[in-house]
mmCIF file of all heavy atoms in Angstrom:
data_model
loop_
_atom_site.group_PDB
_atom_site.id
_atom_site.type_symbol
_atom_site.label_atom_id
_atom_site.label_comp_id
_atom_site.label_asym_id
_atom_site.label_seq_id
_atom_site.Cartn_x
_atom_site.Cartn_y
_atom_site.Cartn_z
ATOM 1 N N SER G 1392 37.681 50.004 69.141
ATOM 2 C CA SER G 1392 37.805 50.714 70.417
ATOM 3 C C SER G 1392 37.375 52.163 70.250
ATOM 4 O O SER G 1392 38.061 52.957 69.594
ATOM 5 C CB SER G 1392 39.255 50.657 70.918
ATOM 6 O OG SER G 1392 39.467 51.575 71.980
ATOM 7 N N SER G 1393 36.241 52.519 70.870
ATOM 8 C CA SER G 1393 35.782 53.910 70.784
ATOM 9 C C SER G 1393 36.704 54.846 71.569
ATOM 10 O O SER G 1393 36.799 56.035 71.252
ATOM 11 C CB SER G 1393 34.346 54.028 71.300
ATOM 12 O OG SER G 1393 34.228 53.513 72.613
ATOM 13 N N LYS G 1394 37.403 54.316 72.589
ATOM 14 C CA LYS G 1394 38.365 55.126 73.330
ATOM 15 C C LYS G 1394 39.534 55.517 72.435
ATOM 16 O O LYS G 1394 39.968 56.679 72.426
ATOM 17 C CB LYS G 1394 38.869 54.350 74.554
ATOM 18 C CG LYS G 1394 39.945 55.074 75.348
ATOM 19 C CD LYS G 1394 39.402 56.329 76.001
ATOM 20 C CE LYS G 1394 40.449 56.979 76.894
ATOM 21 N NZ LYS G 1394 39.943 58.207 77.540
ATOM 22 N N LEU G 1395 40.053 54.556 71.674
ATOM 23 C CA LEU G 1395 41.140 54.870 70.754
ATOM 24 C C LEU G 1395 40.660 55.805 69.653
ATOM 25 O O LEU G 1395 41.406 56.673 69.189
ATOM 26 C CB LEU G 1395 41.707 53.582 70.150
ATOM 27 C CG LEU G 1395 42.506 52.698 71.119
ATOM 28 C CD1 LEU G 1395 42.974 51.419 70.425
ATOM 29 C CD2 LEU G 1395 43.705 53.453 71.699
ATOM 30 N N MET G 1396 39.420 55.643 69.239
ATOM 31 C CA MET G 1396 38.845 56.567 68.265
ATOM 32 C C MET G 1396 38.899 57.995 68.797
ATOM 33 O O MET G 1396 39.266 58.937 68.088
ATOM 34 C CB MET G 1396 37.403 56.168 67.964
ATOM 35 C CG MET G 1396 36.622 57.180 67.137
ATOM 36 S SD MET G 1396 37.091 57.192 65.406
ATOM 37 C CE MET G 1396 36.072 55.863 64.782
ATOM 38 N N GLU G 1397 38.560 58.173 70.083
ATOM 39 C CA GLU G 1397 38.612 59.494 70.700
ATOM 40 C C GLU G 1397 40.046 60.012 70.750
ATOM 41 O O GLU G 1397 40.313 61.175 70.422
ATOM 42 C CB GLU G 1397 38.035 59.428 72.117
ATOM 43 C CG GLU G 1397 36.552 59.079 72.187
ATOM 44 C CD GLU G 1397 36.117 58.764 73.605
ATOM 45 O OE1 GLU G 1397 36.908 59.011 74.541
ATOM 46 O OE2 GLU G 1397 34.983 58.259 73.782
ATOM 47 N N LEU G 1398 40.981 59.147 71.167
ATOM 48 C CA LEU G 1398 42.380 59.572 71.283
ATOM 49 C C LEU G 1398 42.973 59.918 69.929
ATOM 50 O O LEU G 1398 43.737 60.883 69.801
ATOM 51 C CB LEU G 1398 43.200 58.462 71.951
ATOM 52 C CG LEU G 1398 42.874 58.167 73.421
ATOM 53 C CD1 LEU G 1398 43.683 56.978 73.920
ATOM 54 C CD2 LEU G 1398 43.164 59.387 74.286
ATOM 55 N N PHE G 1399 42.615 59.157 68.905
ATOM 56 C CA PHE G 1399 43.139 59.438 67.572
ATOM 57 C C PHE G 1399 42.593 60.759 67.032
ATOM 58 O O PHE G 1399 43.215 61.390 66.178
ATOM 59 C CB PHE G 1399 42.778 58.312 66.596
ATOM 60 C CG PHE G 1399 43.412 56.979 66.936
ATOM 61 C CD1 PHE G 1399 42.883 55.797 66.436
ATOM 62 C CD2 PHE G 1399 44.540 56.902 67.746
ATOM 63 C CE1 PHE G 1399 43.453 54.569 66.740
ATOM 64 C CE2 PHE G 1399 45.113 55.685 68.061
ATOM 65 C CZ PHE G 1399 44.568 54.509 67.566
ATOM 66 N N SER G 1400 41.411 61.129 67.514
ATOM 67 C CA SER G 1400 40.768 62.342 67.017
ATOM 68 C C SER G 1400 41.194 63.589 67.774
ATOM 69 O O SER G 1400 40.924 64.711 67.344
ATOM 70 C CB SER G 1400 39.236 62.200 67.110
ATOM 71 O OG SER G 1400 38.798 61.057 66.405
ATOM 72 N N GLU G 1401 41.813 63.394 68.918
ATOM 73 C CA GLU G 1401 42.205 64.524 69.743
ATOM 74 C C GLU G 1401 43.500 65.153 69.259
ATOM 75 O O GLU G 1401 44.299 64.539 68.566
ATOM 76 C CB GLU G 1401 42.363 64.087 71.209
ATOM 77 C CG GLU G 1401 41.046 63.760 71.880
ATOM 78 C CD GLU G 1401 41.256 63.250 73.296
ATOM 79 O OE1 GLU G 1401 42.433 63.108 73.703
ATOM 80 O OE2 GLU G 1401 40.263 62.969 73.977
ATOM 81 N N ASP G 1402 43.697 66.388 69.667
ATOM 82 C CA ASP G 1402 44.962 67.076 69.380
ATOM 83 C C ASP G 1402 45.465 67.626 70.701
ATOM 84 O O ASP G 1402 45.259 68.787 71.030
ATOM 85 C CB ASP G 1402 44.744 68.188 68.366
ATOM 86 C CG ASP G 1402 46.049 68.854 67.956
ATOM 87 O OD1 ASP G 1402 47.108 68.254 68.219
ATOM 88 O OD2 ASP G 1402 46.002 69.960 67.394
ATOM 89 N N ASP G 1403 46.094 66.741 71.512
ATOM 90 C CA ASP G 1403 46.549 67.156 72.830
ATOM 91 C C ASP G 1403 48.003 66.745 73.033
ATOM 92 O O ASP G 1403 48.682 66.294 72.124
ATOM 93 C CB ASP G 1403 45.651 66.560 73.923
ATOM 94 C CG ASP G 1403 45.529 65.050 73.802
ATOM 95 O OD1 ASP G 1403 46.487 64.427 73.313
ATOM 96 O OD2 ASP G 1403 44.488 64.507 74.200
ATOM 97 N N ASP G 1404 48.445 66.908 74.263
ATOM 98 C CA ASP G 1404 49.848 66.668 74.572
ATOM 99 C C ASP G 1404 50.232 65.208 74.488
ATOM 100 O O ASP G 1404 51.413 64.874 74.394
ATOM 101 C CB ASP G 1404 50.171 67.195 75.980
ATOM 102 C CG ASP G 1404 50.016 68.697 76.054
ATOM 103 O OD1 ASP G 1404 50.101 69.341 74.981
ATOM 104 O OD2 ASP G 1404 49.796 69.211 77.157
ATOM 105 N N GLU G 1405 49.224 64.304 74.528
ATOM 106 C CA GLU G 1405 49.540 62.881 74.500
ATOM 107 C C GLU G 1405 49.817 62.384 73.087
ATOM 108 O O GLU G 1405 50.263 61.272 72.892
ATOM 109 C CB GLU G 1405 48.381 62.079 75.083
ATOM 110 C CG GLU G 1405 48.214 62.280 76.576
ATOM 111 C CD GLU G 1405 47.103 61.413 77.122
ATOM 112 O OE1 GLU G 1405 46.226 61.032 76.335
ATOM 113 O OE2 GLU G 1405 47.131 61.123 78.315
ATOM 114 N N LYS G 1406 49.547 63.219 72.070
ATOM 115 C CA LYS G 1406 49.680 62.760 70.691
ATOM 116 C C LYS G 1406 50.742 63.592 69.975
ATOM 117 O O LYS G 1406 50.690 64.815 69.958
ATOM 118 C CB LYS G 1406 48.332 62.883 69.972
ATOM 119 C CG LYS G 1406 48.355 62.368 68.552
ATOM 120 C CD LYS G 1406 46.962 62.279 67.983
ATOM 121 C CE LYS G 1406 46.353 63.634 67.742
ATOM 122 N NZ LYS G 1406 45.042 63.523 67.096
ATOM 123 N N THR G 1407 51.725 62.938 69.385
ATOM 124 C CA THR G 1407 52.750 63.612 68.592
ATOM 125 C C THR G 1407 52.808 62.955 67.229
ATOM 126 O O THR G 1407 52.462 61.792 67.066
ATOM 127 C CB THR G 1407 54.118 63.523 69.278
ATOM 128 O OG1 THR G 1407 54.473 62.140 69.401
ATOM 129 C CG2 THR G 1407 54.107 64.171 70.646
ATOM 130 N N SER G 1408 53.235 63.709 66.236
ATOM 131 C CA SER G 1408 53.260 63.176 64.874
ATOM 132 C C SER G 1408 54.602 63.458 64.225
ATOM 133 O O SER G 1408 55.142 64.555 64.364
ATOM 134 C CB SER G 1408 52.131 63.800 64.048
ATOM 135 O OG SER G 1408 52.148 63.302 62.729
ATOM 136 N N SER G 1409 55.125 62.464 63.542
ATOM 137 C CA SER G 1409 56.381 62.614 62.814
ATOM 138 C C SER G 1409 56.076 63.092 61.406
ATOM 139 O O SER G 1409 55.357 62.423 60.675
ATOM 140 C CB SER G 1409 57.125 61.270 62.764
ATOM 141 O OG SER G 1409 58.211 61.354 61.874
ATOM 142 N N PRO G 1410 56.580 64.248 60.994
ATOM 143 C CA PRO G 1410 56.259 64.784 59.669
ATOM 144 C C PRO G 1410 56.682 63.849 58.546
ATOM 145 O O PRO G 1410 56.030 63.795 57.512
ATOM 146 C CB PRO G 1410 57.046 66.094 59.628
ATOM 147 C CG PRO G 1410 57.331 66.432 61.054
ATOM 148 C CD PRO G 1410 57.451 65.129 61.769
ATOM 149 N N GLU G 1411 57.784 63.104 58.754
ATOM 150 C CA GLU G 1411 58.275 62.258 57.685
ATOM 151 C C GLU G 1411 57.373 61.051 57.470
ATOM 152 O O GLU G 1411 57.032 60.689 56.345
ATOM 153 C CB GLU G 1411 59.706 61.787 57.989
ATOM 154 C CG GLU G 1411 60.734 62.910 58.063
ATOM 155 C CD GLU G 1411 60.728 63.620 59.405
ATOM 156 O OE1 GLU G 1411 60.075 63.102 60.348
ATOM 157 O OE2 GLU G 1411 61.347 64.684 59.523
ATOM 158 N N SER G 1412 57.007 60.402 58.532
ATOM 159 C CA SER G 1412 56.261 59.151 58.402
ATOM 160 C C SER G 1412 54.759 59.301 58.608
ATOM 161 O O SER G 1412 53.999 58.379 58.353
ATOM 162 C CB SER G 1412 56.788 58.131 59.416
ATOM 163 O OG SER G 1412 56.570 58.599 60.732
ATOM 164 N N HIS G 1413 54.334 60.468 59.128
ATOM 165 C CA HIS G 1413 52.927 60.698 59.456
ATOM 166 C C HIS G 1413 52.425 59.646 60.446
ATOM 167 O O HIS G 1413 51.255 59.290 60.435
ATOM 168 C CB HIS G 1413 52.045 60.673 58.190
ATOM 169 C CG HIS G 1413 52.453 61.680 57.171
ATOM 170 N ND1 HIS G 1413 52.246 63.028 57.338
ATOM 171 C CD2 HIS G 1413 53.078 61.540 55.965
ATOM 172 C CE1 HIS G 1413 52.704 63.689 56.292
ATOM 173 N NE2 HIS G 1413 53.227 62.807 55.429
ATOM 174 N N THR G 1414 53.320 59.170 61.273
ATOM 175 C CA THR G 1414 52.950 58.188 62.303
ATOM 176 C C THR G 1414 52.590 58.904 63.591
ATOM 177 O O THR G 1414 53.339 59.760 64.067
ATOM 178 C CB THR G 1414 54.108 57.207 62.561
ATOM 179 O OG1 THR G 1414 54.426 56.540 61.350
ATOM 180 C CG2 THR G 1414 53.708 56.184 63.607
ATOM 181 N N VAL G 1415 51.444 58.548 64.140
ATOM 182 C CA VAL G 1415 50.970 59.166 65.379
ATOM 183 C C VAL G 1415 51.422 58.336 66.569
ATOM 184 O O VAL G 1415 51.347 57.105 66.543
ATOM 185 C CB VAL G 1415 49.432 59.282 65.365
ATOM 186 C CG1 VAL G 1415 48.909 59.769 66.706
ATOM 187 C CG2 VAL G 1415 48.991 60.218 64.254
ATOM 188 N N HIS G 1416 51.876 59.000 67.632
ATOM 189 C CA HIS G 1416 52.294 58.339 68.864
ATOM 190 C C HIS G 1416 51.262 58.619 69.959
ATOM 191 O O HIS G 1416 50.940 59.776 70.238
ATOM 192 C CB HIS G 1416 53.673 58.846 69.308
ATOM 193 C CG HIS G 1416 54.778 58.490 68.363
ATOM 194 N ND1 HIS G 1416 55.683 57.487 68.610
ATOM 195 C CD2 HIS G 1416 55.107 59.005 67.137
ATOM 196 C CE1 HIS G 1416 56.532 57.383 67.597
ATOM 197 N NE2 HIS G 1416 56.206 58.315 66.685
ATOM 198 N N ILE G 1417 50.736 57.577 70.552
ATOM 199 C CA ILE G 1417 49.735 57.702 71.615
ATOM 200 C C ILE G 1417 50.265 57.036 72.874
ATOM 201 O O ILE G 1417 50.660 55.872 72.857
ATOM 202 C CB ILE G 1417 48.398 57.040 71.227
ATOM 203 C CG1 ILE G 1417 47.790 57.718 70.005
ATOM 204 C CG2 ILE G 1417 47.411 57.065 72.392
ATOM 205 C CD1 ILE G 1417 47.246 59.100 70.257
ATOM 206 N N THR G 1418 50.281 57.782 73.977
ATOM 207 C CA THR G 1418 50.672 57.218 75.272
ATOM 208 C C THR G 1418 49.398 56.879 76.050
ATOM 209 O O THR G 1418 48.558 57.753 76.303
ATOM 210 C CB THR G 1418 51.509 58.224 76.078
ATOM 211 O OG1 THR G 1418 52.690 58.531 75.341
ATOM 212 C CG2 THR G 1418 51.896 57.625 77.429
ATOM 213 N N LEU G 1419 49.250 55.602 76.394
ATOM 214 C CA LEU G 1419 48.071 55.152 77.144
ATOM 215 C C LEU G 1419 48.362 55.220 78.629
ATOM 216 O O LEU G 1419 49.321 54.621 79.122
ATOM 217 C CB LEU G 1419 47.699 53.723 76.732
ATOM 218 C CG LEU G 1419 47.276 53.542 75.274
ATOM 219 C CD1 LEU G 1419 46.957 52.072 75.005
ATOM 220 C CD2 LEU G 1419 46.083 54.405 74.935
ATOM 221 N N ASN G 1420 47.511 55.957 79.342
ATOM 222 C CA ASN G 1420 47.696 56.129 80.789
ATOM 223 C C ASN G 1420 47.021 55.001 81.543
ATOM 224 O O ASN G 1420 46.010 55.172 82.227
ATOM 225 C CB ASN G 1420 47.125 57.481 81.239
ATOM 226 C CG ASN G 1420 47.863 58.637 80.603
ATOM 227 O OD1 ASN G 1420 49.084 58.611 80.485
ATOM 228 N ND2 ASN G 1420 47.128 59.661 80.191
ATOM 229 N N LEU G 1421 47.582 53.818 81.407
ATOM 230 C CA LEU G 1421 47.046 52.656 82.098
ATOM 231 C C LEU G 1421 47.732 52.498 83.446
ATOM 232 O O LEU G 1421 48.724 53.171 83.758
ATOM 233 C CB LEU G 1421 47.249 51.409 81.249
ATOM 234 C CG LEU G 1421 46.453 51.381 79.933
ATOM 235 C CD1 LEU G 1421 46.928 50.240 79.057
ATOM 236 C CD2 LEU G 1421 44.971 51.253 80.195
ATOM 237 N N ASN G 1422 47.207 51.605 84.265
ATOM 238 C CA ASN G 1422 47.797 51.307 85.562
ATOM 239 C C ASN G 1422 49.269 50.954 85.397
ATOM 240 O O ASN G 1422 49.639 50.207 84.492
ATOM 241 C CB ASN G 1422 47.032 50.137 86.195
ATOM 242 C CG ASN G 1422 47.438 49.906 87.639
ATOM 243 O OD1 ASN G 1422 48.606 49.678 87.939
ATOM 244 N ND2 ASN G 1422 46.470 49.980 88.525
ATOM 245 N N PRO G 1423 50.155 51.492 86.265
ATOM 246 C CA PRO G 1423 51.588 51.200 86.143
ATOM 247 C C PRO G 1423 51.900 49.716 86.183
ATOM 248 O O PRO G 1423 52.898 49.269 85.599
ATOM 249 C CB PRO G 1423 52.195 51.920 87.362
ATOM 250 C CG PRO G 1423 51.221 52.999 87.685
ATOM 251 C CD PRO G 1423 49.877 52.451 87.352
ATOM 252 N N ASP G 1424 51.045 48.937 86.877
ATOM 253 C CA ASP G 1424 51.281 47.492 86.971
ATOM 254 C C ASP G 1424 50.748 46.746 85.753
ATOM 255 O O ASP G 1424 50.885 45.529 85.658
ATOM 256 C CB ASP G 1424 50.610 46.933 88.239
ATOM 257 C CG ASP G 1424 51.211 47.553 89.502
ATOM 258 O OD1 ASP G 1424 52.409 47.884 89.482
ATOM 259 O OD2 ASP G 1424 50.473 47.688 90.489
ATOM 260 N N PHE G 1425 50.119 47.465 84.857
ATOM 261 C CA PHE G 1425 49.511 46.835 83.683
ATOM 262 C C PHE G 1425 50.604 46.323 82.741
ATOM 263 O O PHE G 1425 51.532 47.047 82.389
ATOM 264 C CB PHE G 1425 48.639 47.857 82.970
ATOM 265 C CG PHE G 1425 47.874 47.302 81.814
ATOM 266 C CD1 PHE G 1425 46.681 46.632 82.011
ATOM 267 C CD2 PHE G 1425 48.339 47.437 80.521
ATOM 268 C CE1 PHE G 1425 45.954 46.128 80.957
ATOM 269 C CE2 PHE G 1425 47.627 46.934 79.449
ATOM 270 C CZ PHE G 1425 46.431 46.281 79.684
ATOM 271 N N GLU G 1426 50.483 45.075 82.347
ATOM 272 C CA GLU G 1426 51.493 44.484 81.472
ATOM 273 C C GLU G 1426 51.141 44.746 80.010
ATOM 274 O O GLU G 1426 50.004 44.601 79.589
ATOM 275 C CB GLU G 1426 51.577 42.973 81.729
ATOM 276 C CG GLU G 1426 52.017 42.626 83.145
ATOM 277 C CD GLU G 1426 52.121 41.121 83.346
ATOM 278 O OE1 GLU G 1426 52.097 40.389 82.347
ATOM 279 O OE2 GLU G 1426 52.235 40.702 84.498
ATOM 280 N N SER G 1427 52.187 45.123 79.236
ATOM 281 C CA SER G 1427 51.962 45.441 77.835
ATOM 282 C C SER G 1427 51.459 44.240 77.040
ATOM 283 O O SER G 1427 50.769 44.393 76.036
ATOM 284 C CB SER G 1427 53.248 45.972 77.203
ATOM 285 O OG SER G 1427 54.298 45.011 77.316
ATOM 286 N N LYS G 1428 51.762 43.013 77.528
ATOM 287 C CA LYS G 1428 51.316 41.831 76.788
ATOM 288 C C LYS G 1428 49.791 41.711 76.797
ATOM 289 O O LYS G 1428 49.214 41.101 75.902
ATOM 290 C CB LYS G 1428 51.947 40.570 77.363
ATOM 291 C CG LYS G 1428 51.504 40.195 78.766
ATOM 292 C CD LYS G 1428 52.139 38.887 79.198
ATOM 293 C CE LYS G 1428 51.654 38.468 80.582
ATOM 294 N NZ LYS G 1428 52.243 37.165 81.001
ATOM 295 N N ILE G 1429 49.139 42.294 77.815
ATOM 296 C CA ILE G 1429 47.672 42.287 77.841
ATOM 297 C C ILE G 1429 47.133 43.130 76.689
ATOM 298 O O ILE G 1429 46.212 42.716 75.967
ATOM 299 C CB ILE G 1429 47.158 42.827 79.186
ATOM 300 C CG1 ILE G 1429 47.587 41.903 80.338
ATOM 301 C CG2 ILE G 1429 45.637 42.980 79.160
ATOM 302 C CD1 ILE G 1429 47.033 40.503 80.242
ATOM 303 N N LEU G 1430 47.722 44.305 76.484
ATOM 304 C CA LEU G 1430 47.287 45.149 75.377
ATOM 305 C C LEU G 1430 47.603 44.487 74.041
ATOM 306 O O LEU G 1430 46.834 44.622 73.075
ATOM 307 C CB LEU G 1430 47.961 46.515 75.463
ATOM 308 C CG LEU G 1430 47.510 47.548 74.422
ATOM 309 C CD1 LEU G 1430 46.023 47.809 74.531
ATOM 310 C CD2 LEU G 1430 48.287 48.843 74.579
ATOM 311 N N GLU G 1431 48.709 43.764 73.995
ATOM 312 C CA GLU G 1431 49.065 43.049 72.773
ATOM 313 C C GLU G 1431 47.989 42.041 72.388
ATOM 314 O O GLU G 1431 47.639 41.877 71.217
ATOM 315 C CB GLU G 1431 50.414 42.340 72.950
ATOM 316 C CG GLU G 1431 51.536 42.973 72.167
ATOM 317 C CD GLU G 1431 52.827 42.181 72.285
ATOM 318 O OE1 GLU G 1431 53.331 42.065 73.414
ATOM 319 O OE2 GLU G 1431 53.305 41.680 71.246
ATOM 320 N N LYS G 1432 47.446 41.335 73.379
ATOM 321 C CA LYS G 1432 46.394 40.361 73.108
ATOM 322 C C LYS G 1432 45.164 41.041 72.525
ATOM 323 O O LYS G 1432 44.481 40.495 71.654
ATOM 324 C CB LYS G 1432 46.015 39.624 74.406
ATOM 325 C CG LYS G 1432 47.102 38.698 74.939
ATOM 326 C CD LYS G 1432 46.663 38.069 76.249
ATOM 327 C CE LYS G 1432 47.742 37.175 76.835
ATOM 328 N NZ LYS G 1432 47.936 35.950 76.031
ATOM 329 N N MET G 1433 44.882 42.236 72.997
ATOM 330 C CA MET G 1433 43.710 42.954 72.523
ATOM 331 C C MET G 1433 43.924 43.500 71.116
ATOM 332 O O MET G 1433 42.990 43.561 70.314
ATOM 333 C CB MET G 1433 43.357 44.065 73.513
ATOM 334 C CG MET G 1433 43.080 43.506 74.913
ATOM 335 S SD MET G 1433 42.890 44.750 76.171
ATOM 336 C CE MET G 1433 41.332 45.432 75.697
ATOM 337 N N ILE G 1434 45.153 43.888 70.815
ATOM 338 C CA ILE G 1434 45.462 44.313 69.448
ATOM 339 C C ILE G 1434 45.390 43.115 68.505
ATOM 340 O O ILE G 1434 44.889 43.218 67.379
ATOM 341 C CB ILE G 1434 46.834 44.996 69.393
ATOM 342 C CG1 ILE G 1434 46.792 46.305 70.189
ATOM 343 C CG2 ILE G 1434 47.258 45.257 67.953
ATOM 344 C CD1 ILE G 1434 48.111 47.019 70.265
ATOM 345 N N ASP G 1435 45.870 41.967 68.981
ATOM 346 C CA ASP G 1435 45.752 40.739 68.175
ATOM 347 C C ASP G 1435 44.282 40.460 67.855
ATOM 348 O O ASP G 1435 43.940 40.070 66.726
ATOM 349 C CB ASP G 1435 46.335 39.549 68.935
ATOM 350 C CG ASP G 1435 47.862 39.570 68.942
ATOM 351 O OD1 ASP G 1435 48.440 40.257 68.083
ATOM 352 O OD2 ASP G 1435 48.456 38.903 69.806
ATOM 353 N N TYR G 1436 43.418 40.682 68.843
ATOM 354 C CA TYR G 1436 41.977 40.467 68.621
ATOM 355 C C TYR G 1436 41.459 41.392 67.516
ATOM 356 O O TYR G 1436 40.658 40.987 66.666
ATOM 357 C CB TYR G 1436 41.207 40.705 69.919
ATOM 358 C CG TYR G 1436 39.739 40.904 69.728
ATOM 359 C CD1 TYR G 1436 38.889 39.824 69.534
ATOM 360 C CD2 TYR G 1436 39.190 42.196 69.719
ATOM 361 C CE1 TYR G 1436 37.528 40.012 69.339
ATOM 362 C CE2 TYR G 1436 37.840 42.396 69.530
ATOM 363 C CZ TYR G 1436 37.004 41.303 69.332
ATOM 364 O OH TYR G 1436 35.665 41.490 69.130
#
């Protein structure tokens, strides 16, 4: 996903990092009616 590549590379308000785990948190601004299981299928892919 080139979109996720862009988001991972950005340093904005949507991305926070935990110093202990170095885990990045990304909030995806998808349609409110969008079901998370759809994104799960794409991650499975």
